[in-house]
Amino acid sequence: MKPFYLETSLSIAFFLAMTTSILAQTQSIIGLVQDADSKEPLIGVTITVDLGDGDIRGTLTDDAGFYELADIPQGKHNVKFEYVGFKTVVISNVIVTGAKQARVNTVLSEKADQLQEAVVRARDKTASHNDMVSVSSRSFDAEEAERYAGSRQDPARMAQNFAGVQGTDDQRNDIVVRGNSPLGLVWRYEGIDIFNPNHFAIAGTTGGPISMINNKVIGNSDFLTGAFPSEYGNGVAGFFDMKMRNGNYNEAEYSAQFGLWGTELNAEGPINKEKKSSYLVNYRYATFSIFQALGIDLGTDATPAYQDAAFKLNFPSKKGGFSIFGLGGLSAIDILFSDDEAPTEELYGLKDRDQYFRTNMGVIGMNWRRYLKKNTSINTTLAYNVQQVKTRHDKIFRDSAVYTRFSLLPVLRYNMVQSKTALHSQLNKKFNARSSLKAGVMLDMFNINFLDSTRNETAVWNSETQTAEYPWVELLDGDDNPLMARAYGNWKYRLTGRLTMQTGLHFLYTQMGDQVSVEPRLGFTFDRDPTERWALAYGNHSQTQPTYVYFAQFVDSVSKTFGQHNADMGLTRSHHIIGSFDKKLRKDFRIRTEVYYQSLYNVPVEVIPSSFSLLNQGSGFVRFFPDVVENTGTGENYGIELTLEKFFSKKFFFLATASLFESKYTGSDGKKRDTDFNGNYVVNMLGGYDVKVGKTGNRNIHVGTKITWGGGRLYSPIDTAATIASGTQVVINDNLRNTLQFKDYFRWDMRVAYRTSGDKVNHEISLDLINLLDIQNVLAISYVDDPNLPGSKTFVEEYQLGFLPSFFYKIEF
């Protein structure tokens, strides 16, 4: 069936593409230019594009900072921004197509020393959009999220290609930064920290199989991996600072896409052209059932059902403006093993039960911007965010003689709902060319409603009724409205034209555990010349624990009483220190290396001596309920990272990243061990090449590839006798935790895309070949039912995703 699927898909798409008009085209480049420090619009900025042979197209920004460069030929162009007293910026490789206007927003920084020689600094697309960032950051946009082979148009999987990030788990898009648990990551959306924005997300985690955030609505966004500026708090590993782009304020544009990951519709355009207000709407609906019918192996026999949507309405003005935005997703899957005639290679779910799983998440908000007076602006966002995770598990008891004969026992029920009203208000003040301040407050008022019960799977004899019973145990019954309040200030001072200091404080108070934290931040950047930067940064950071763990109730092993014994858990804390070197060897090629050390302390570990630590949690589909914990655990992560990158020019790009690291922790038993995420190394190599087809140059074939190679998963030796006796997997003892390792992870992906730009319509057909060599990367060892010996179990290796062809067809008009 696969050859038929591939051949038919390509034939249809190429036919559609070849019917597109091939007339030569021009299009406009539009955007907004602001002061990097005050965020005010800059009036009269000169924007030019050099087309060669003396043909230079130019324009100026208007009194609201907007511009339009008209009649720019299709292709890739460099856009230069010049303004008296400010550093010149060049944005390279801006793609212009026939059916959609290109959008380029940027910020300009005032020169610290007006007497210094003007320097043209080519700003590449990797530079952070946050001027307070010193180290460990990477910007990205919708184009980048779509270009990388194997990224499945998922921003999180795209980020797994960056230095310091592990991407060796096919079933989830967890962000493992420098050996930290994914729990340490924070998703920020339009200035608000939000709950997990992934479909099929487990409560308390930050990743999942499929992202709700569609790459087509992403604007200029940042990914940070350490020593964060003071506006980032309640996170110890990384921040995904996502911004939605605004819709086109000049003309209406539409697109539709059909592919493996869903059917999508996108619409954008002006609400009022004169005022440059706009709308942007995106919707996606899952189409997995169609591709499963074609024999495509998705790693599950169940049919995932999901849908998501996003929108943004933007109303700018000369004095600021406001916008209304929203993001939401619904997902459901029923993973049923009771009907299997033999054990399967199902990638998801526990194989001894039927599982019914539902997740919903949504955020809606409003952003208000105001330019108060010269060099001062305020930006305030108010939003409501809600998440629901609901499931039911029915344990399968198979007949000892016939595998297909069974009975079901309900063993798990939970409905976990959390919501919050969030406020984030930020003041930007530029005192002069050298000195600027960013300060703000954030308030989160939570509403918690958790219900969770599990059933004893071993029968208990009731002497009064003379019957065997399976009693229920209530794990969660949480109903509370805790408050979290944060405040920060970040001061940037240009000591010289080359040396800049960023320093600040972050304050956090949370009613969960009644905790307070005051965290200093400090960073220096030194620009030796326009092509070379050195940087050093320090940050003290803290983070609350997964919310449901505070409300877990159980009979503890210390006092033998039932209750919420971990309601007073403290914050996990860490120190970051990072050194960075960044060198542009050519205008389209750079090298970057970073060395880092992270010390984690106040980590929750169990009071009774054990190997448990929260540093090992948050990466799977199972929640965790520890015994009584105390904040006495520690951990450390250290390593070196290297990035070699050629930006898209002369028809190709490539990105190579390598990370060597150690990730250790100490539990309450006092023994230092490898964390679950200590793979020791990860290497990514990806690139792409574009070929123009035809005389007019409006047809394009793109070929991309990616290789990921990383250390295998760590695991603990299994106590075979105890496992057979109990029927569930048991490790030998805590002393041997994480002393074994699966073979190294290796995956090769390829991408082939054909795009044609017409007068009013663009077509694109894309085919991703994920795990092209069908490598069997080991996920885990499981103890499952043995079909050859009904009533008994056996140990088997579970493998990650095999070969997966991922296809989409897109039309823009």
Side-chain angles (χ1 to χ4, degrees), residues 155-191:
R157 296 186 190 276
M158 174 207 65
Q160 291 174 348
N161 296 294
F162 300 155
V165 183
Q166 296 182 60
T168 56
D169 188 340
D170 297 338
Q171 62 176 347
R172 295 172 58 89
N173 62 9
D174 288 319
I175 302 294
V176 177
V177 178
R178 294 173 172 171
N180 282 281
S181 161
L183 293 176
L185 179 81
V186 177
W187 290 92
R188 180 167 290 185
Y189 195 79
E190 288 291 292

Short mmCIF file of all heavy atoms in Angstrom, two decimals, residues 155-191:
data_model
loop_
_atom_site.label_atom_id
_atom_site.label_comp_id
_atom_site.label_asym_id
_atom_site.label_seq_id
_atom_site.Cartn_x
_atom_site.Cartn_y
_atom_site.Cartn_z
N PRO A 155 6.95 23.20 16.26
CA PRO A 155 8.01 24.06 16.81
C PRO A 155 8.91 23.34 17.82
O PRO A 155 10.11 23.60 17.87
CB PRO A 155 7.23 25.19 17.47
CG PRO A 155 5.91 25.21 16.79
CD PRO A 155 5.61 23.78 16.43
N ALA A 156 8.33 22.45 18.64
CA ALA A 156 9.14 21.75 19.64
C ALA A 156 10.13 20.80 18.98
O ALA A 156 11.30 20.72 19.37
CB ALA A 156 8.24 21.01 20.61
N ARG A 157 9.67 20.04 17.98
CA ARG A 157 10.59 19.13 17.29
C ARG A 157 11.63 19.90 16.49
O ARG A 157 12.75 19.42 16.30
CB ARG A 157 9.80 18.18 16.40
CG ARG A 157 8.88 17.25 17.19
CD ARG A 157 8.21 16.23 16.30
NE ARG A 157 7.16 15.50 17.01
CZ ARG A 157 7.35 14.44 17.77
NH1 ARG A 157 8.57 13.96 17.93
NH2 ARG A 157 6.34 13.85 18.38
N MET A 158 11.28 21.08 16.00
CA MET A 158 12.27 21.92 15.34
C MET A 158 13.37 22.31 16.33
O MET A 158 14.56 22.26 16.01
CB MET A 158 11.60 23.17 14.79
CG MET A 158 12.56 24.20 14.19
SD MET A 158 11.92 25.89 14.28
CE MET A 158 11.88 26.16 16.05
N ALA A 159 12.97 22.68 17.56
CA ALA A 159 13.95 23.11 18.56
C ALA A 159 14.86 21.98 18.98
O ALA A 159 15.97 22.24 19.49
CB ALA A 159 13.22 23.67 19.78
N GLN A 160 14.46 20.73 18.79
CA GLN A 160 15.32 19.60 19.14
C GLN A 160 16.57 19.53 18.28
O GLN A 160 17.49 18.76 18.58
CB GLN A 160 14.53 18.30 19.04
CG GLN A 160 13.45 18.16 20.11
CD GLN A 160 12.58 16.93 19.92
OE1 GLN A 160 12.63 16.28 18.87
NE2 GLN A 160 11.79 16.61 20.92
N ASN A 161 16.64 20.33 17.22
CA ASN A 161 17.84 20.40 16.39
C ASN A 161 18.89 21.36 16.94
O ASN A 161 20.03 21.35 16.48
CB ASN A 161 17.48 20.83 14.97
CG ASN A 161 16.59 19.85 14.26
OD1 ASN A 161 16.99 18.73 13.97
ND2 ASN A 161 15.35 20.24 13.99
N PHE A 162 18.51 22.19 17.90
CA PHE A 162 19.43 23.21 18.40
C PHE A 162 20.41 22.60 19.41
O PHE A 162 20.13 21.59 20.04
CB PHE A 162 18.65 24.35 19.06
CG PHE A 162 17.70 25.05 18.13
CD1 PHE A 162 16.59 25.72 18.63
CD2 PHE A 162 17.90 25.07 16.77
CE1 PHE A 162 15.71 26.37 17.79
CE2 PHE A 162 17.03 25.71 15.90
CZ PHE A 162 15.93 26.37 16.43
N ALA A 163 21.54 23.25 19.55
CA ALA A 163 22.58 22.77 20.47
C ALA A 163 22.05 22.72 21.89
O ALA A 163 21.35 23.63 22.35
CB ALA A 163 23.81 23.67 20.40
N GLY A 164 22.38 21.63 22.59
CA GLY A 164 21.98 21.48 23.98
C GLY A 164 20.64 20.83 24.19
O GLY A 164 20.23 20.61 25.33
N VAL A 165 19.93 20.49 23.10
CA VAL A 165 18.60 19.91 23.20
C VAL A 165 18.62 18.49 22.66
O VAL A 165 19.13 18.24 21.57
CB VAL A 165 17.56 20.75 22.42
CG1 VAL A 165 16.16 20.18 22.61
CG2 VAL A 165 17.61 22.20 22.87
N GLN A 166 18.06 17.56 23.43
CA GLN A 166 17.98 16.17 22.99
C GLN A 166 16.67 15.92 22.25
O GLN A 166 15.61 16.31 22.72
CB GLN A 166 18.05 15.21 24.19
CG GLN A 166 19.37 15.26 24.94
CD GLN A 166 19.40 14.28 26.08
OE1 GLN A 166 19.26 13.08 25.88
NE2 GLN A 166 19.57 14.79 27.28
N GLY A 167 16.77 15.24 21.10
CA GLY A 167 15.58 14.88 20.34
C GLY A 167 15.59 13.40 20.01
O GLY A 167 15.46 13.01 18.85
N THR A 168 15.75 12.56 21.03
CA THR A 168 15.91 11.12 20.82
C THR A 168 14.69 10.34 21.29
O THR A 168 14.80 9.18 21.67
CB THR A 168 17.17 10.61 21.54
OG1 THR A 168 17.09 10.96 22.94
CG2 THR A 168 18.42 11.24 20.94
N ASP A 169 13.52 10.96 21.28
CA ASP A 169 12.28 10.30 21.66
C ASP A 169 11.27 10.53 20.55
O ASP A 169 10.78 11.65 20.36
CB ASP A 169 11.76 10.86 22.99
CG ASP A 169 10.57 10.07 23.53
OD1 ASP A 169 9.92 9.36 22.74
OD2 ASP A 169 10.28 10.17 24.73
N ASP A 170 10.93 9.48 19.80
CA ASP A 170 10.03 9.62 18.66
C ASP A 170 8.58 9.80 19.07
O ASP A 170 7.79 10.37 18.32
CB ASP A 170 10.13 8.40 17.74
CG ASP A 170 11.50 8.24 17.13
OD1 ASP A 170 12.23 9.24 17.06
OD2 ASP A 170 11.85 7.11 16.73
N GLN A 171 8.21 9.30 20.24
CA GLN A 171 6.80 9.30 20.59
C GLN A 171 6.33 10.63 21.17
O GLN A 171 5.15 10.93 21.17
CB GLN A 171 6.50 8.18 21.59
CG GLN A 171 7.24 8.31 22.92
CD GLN A 171 6.85 7.23 23.91
OE1 GLN A 171 5.87 6.54 23.71
NE2 GLN A 171 7.60 7.10 24.99
N ARG A 172 7.26 11.46 21.65
CA ARG A 172 6.91 12.73 22.27
C ARG A 172 7.86 13.83 21.80
O ARG A 172 8.98 13.56 21.37
CB ARG A 172 6.97 12.63 23.80
CG ARG A 172 5.95 11.68 24.41
CD ARG A 172 6.20 11.50 25.89
NE ARG A 172 6.17 12.75 26.62
CZ ARG A 172 5.07 13.30 27.16
NH1 ARG A 172 3.91 12.67 27.02
NH2 ARG A 172 5.12 14.44 27.81
N ASN A 173 7.40 15.07 21.91
CA ASN A 173 8.23 16.21 21.54
C ASN A 173 8.82 16.91 22.77
O ASN A 173 9.06 18.12 22.75
CB ASN A 173 7.44 17.21 20.69
CG ASN A 173 6.24 17.80 21.44
OD1 ASN A 173 6.08 17.60 22.64
ND2 ASN A 173 5.38 18.50 20.72
N ASP A 174 9.06 16.14 23.84
CA ASP A 174 9.64 16.72 25.05
C ASP A 174 10.92 17.49 24.75
O ASP A 174 11.76 17.05 23.95
CB ASP A 174 9.96 15.63 26.07
CG ASP A 174 8.71 15.02 26.70
OD1 ASP A 174 7.78 15.79 27.00
OD2 ASP A 174 8.66 13.80 26.87
N ILE A 175 11.07 18.63 25.41
CA ILE A 175 12.28 19.44 25.27
C ILE A 175 13.19 19.14 26.46
O ILE A 175 12.94 19.56 27.59
CB ILE A 175 11.94 20.94 25.23
CG1 ILE A 175 10.99 21.24 24.08
CG2 ILE A 175 13.21 21.76 25.10
CD1 ILE A 175 11.57 21.01 22.71
N VAL A 176 14.24 18.36 26.21
CA VAL A 176 15.23 18.02 27.23
C VAL A 176 16.44 18.91 27.00
O VAL A 176 17.19 18.74 26.05
CB VAL A 176 15.63 16.53 27.16
CG1 VAL A 176 16.71 16.21 28.18
CG2 VAL A 176 14.40 15.64 27.38
N VAL A 177 16.62 19.90 27.87
CA VAL A 177 17.66 20.91 27.71
C VAL A 177 18.82 20.63 28.64
O VAL A 177 18.66 20.60 29.86
CB VAL A 177 17.10 22.32 27.99
CG1 VAL A 177 18.21 23.36 27.86
CG2 VAL A 177 15.95 22.65 27.05
N ARG A 178 19.98 20.34 28.08
CA ARG A 178 21.22 20.20 28.84
C ARG A 178 21.07 19.22 30.00
O ARG A 178 21.58 19.45 31.09
CB ARG A 178 21.69 21.57 29.34
CG ARG A 178 22.10 22.48 28.19
CD ARG A 178 22.41 23.90 28.62
NE ARG A 178 22.98 24.64 27.49
CZ ARG A 178 23.20 25.96 27.49
NH1 ARG A 178 22.89 26.67 28.56
NH2 ARG A 178 23.73 26.55 26.43
N GLY A 179 20.36 18.11 29.75
CA GLY A 179 20.21 17.08 30.75
C GLY A 179 19.12 17.32 31.76
O GLY A 179 18.87 16.49 32.64
N ASN A 180 18.41 18.47 31.68
CA ASN A 180 17.32 18.76 32.60
C ASN A 180 16.07 17.97 32.24
O ASN A 180 15.86 17.60 31.08
CB ASN A 180 16.98 20.25 32.56
CG ASN A 180 17.95 21.10 33.34
OD1 ASN A 180 17.88 21.19 34.56
ND2 ASN A 180 18.86 21.75 32.62
N SER A 181 15.22 17.74 33.23
CA SER A 181 13.91 17.17 32.96
C SER A 181 13.09 18.13 32.11
O SER A 181 13.22 19.35 32.24
CB SER A 181 13.18 16.90 34.29
OG SER A 181 11.79 16.78 34.08
N PRO A 182 12.20 17.62 31.24
CA PRO A 182 11.29 18.51 30.51
C PRO A 182 10.39 19.34 31.43
O PRO A 182 9.83 20.34 30.98
CB PRO A 182 10.45 17.53 29.66
CG PRO A 182 11.27 16.30 29.57
CD PRO A 182 12.04 16.21 30.84
N LEU A 183 10.25 18.92 32.70
CA LEU A 183 9.47 19.72 33.65
C LEU A 183 10.03 21.12 33.81
O LEU A 183 9.30 22.05 34.18
CB LEU A 183 9.43 19.04 35.02
CG LEU A 183 8.67 17.71 35.13
CD1 LEU A 183 8.82 17.14 36.52
CD2 LEU A 183 7.21 17.89 34.77
N GLY A 184 11.33 21.30 33.54
CA GLY A 184 11.96 22.60 33.72
C GLY A 184 11.68 23.59 32.62
O GLY A 184 12.11 24.75 32.69
N LEU A 185 10.96 23.17 31.56
CA LEU A 185 10.66 24.05 30.43
C LEU A 185 9.37 24.83 30.70
O LEU A 185 8.42 24.30 31.30
CB LEU A 185 10.50 23.24 29.15
CG LEU A 185 10.16 24.05 27.89
CD1 LEU A 185 11.41 24.68 27.31
CD2 LEU A 185 9.47 23.18 26.85
N VAL A 186 9.32 26.07 30.22
CA VAL A 186 8.12 26.90 30.34
C VAL A 186 7.70 27.36 28.94
O VAL A 186 8.53 27.81 28.15
CB VAL A 186 8.38 28.13 31.23
CG1 VAL A 186 7.14 29.03 31.27
CG2 VAL A 186 8.76 27.68 32.64
N TRP A 187 6.39 27.20 28.65
CA TRP A 187 5.81 27.71 27.41
C TRP A 187 5.21 29.09 27.68
O TRP A 187 4.31 29.23 28.52
CB TRP A 187 4.73 26.79 26.89
CG TRP A 187 5.21 25.48 26.38
CD1 TRP A 187 5.35 24.30 27.06
CD2 TRP A 187 5.62 25.18 25.03
NE1 TRP A 187 5.82 23.31 26.25
CE2 TRP A 187 6.00 23.82 24.98
CE3 TRP A 187 5.70 25.94 23.86
CZ2 TRP A 187 6.44 23.20 23.82
CZ3 TRP A 187 6.15 25.33 22.70
CH2 TRP A 187 6.51 23.99 22.69
N ARG A 188 5.71 30.10 26.99
CA ARG A 188 5.15 31.46 27.09
C ARG A 188 4.51 31.81 25.76
O ARG A 188 5.15 31.69 24.70
CB ARG A 188 6.23 32.46 27.47
CG ARG A 188 5.74 33.89 27.59
CD ARG A 188 6.75 34.79 28.28
NE ARG A 188 6.88 34.46 29.70
CZ ARG A 188 7.62 35.16 30.56
NH1 ARG A 188 8.31 36.22 30.13
NH2 ARG A 188 7.70 34.79 31.83
N TYR A 189 3.27 32.26 25.80
CA TYR A 189 2.51 32.54 24.58
C TYR A 189 1.92 33.95 24.68
O TYR A 189 1.12 34.24 25.57
CB TYR A 189 1.38 31.51 24.44
CG TYR A 189 0.73 31.43 23.09
CD1 TYR A 189 1.34 30.76 22.03
CD2 TYR A 189 -0.51 32.01 22.85
CE1 TYR A 189 0.74 30.67 20.78
CE2 TYR A 189 -1.12 31.93 21.60
CZ TYR A 189 -0.49 31.27 20.58
OH TYR A 189 -1.10 31.17 19.34
N GLU A 190 2.37 34.83 23.79
CA GLU A 190 1.93 36.23 23.80
C GLU A 190 2.14 36.88 25.17
O GLU A 190 1.30 37.64 25.65
CB GLU A 190 0.46 36.32 23.38
CG GLU A 190 0.21 36.06 21.90
CD GLU A 190 0.77 37.16 21.01
OE1 GLU A 190 0.24 38.28 21.05
OE2 GLU A 190 1.74 36.89 20.27
N GLY A 191 3.27 36.53 25.81
CA GLY A 191 3.64 37.14 27.07
C GLY A 191 3.08 36.47 28.31
O GLY A 191 3.38 36.90 29.43
#
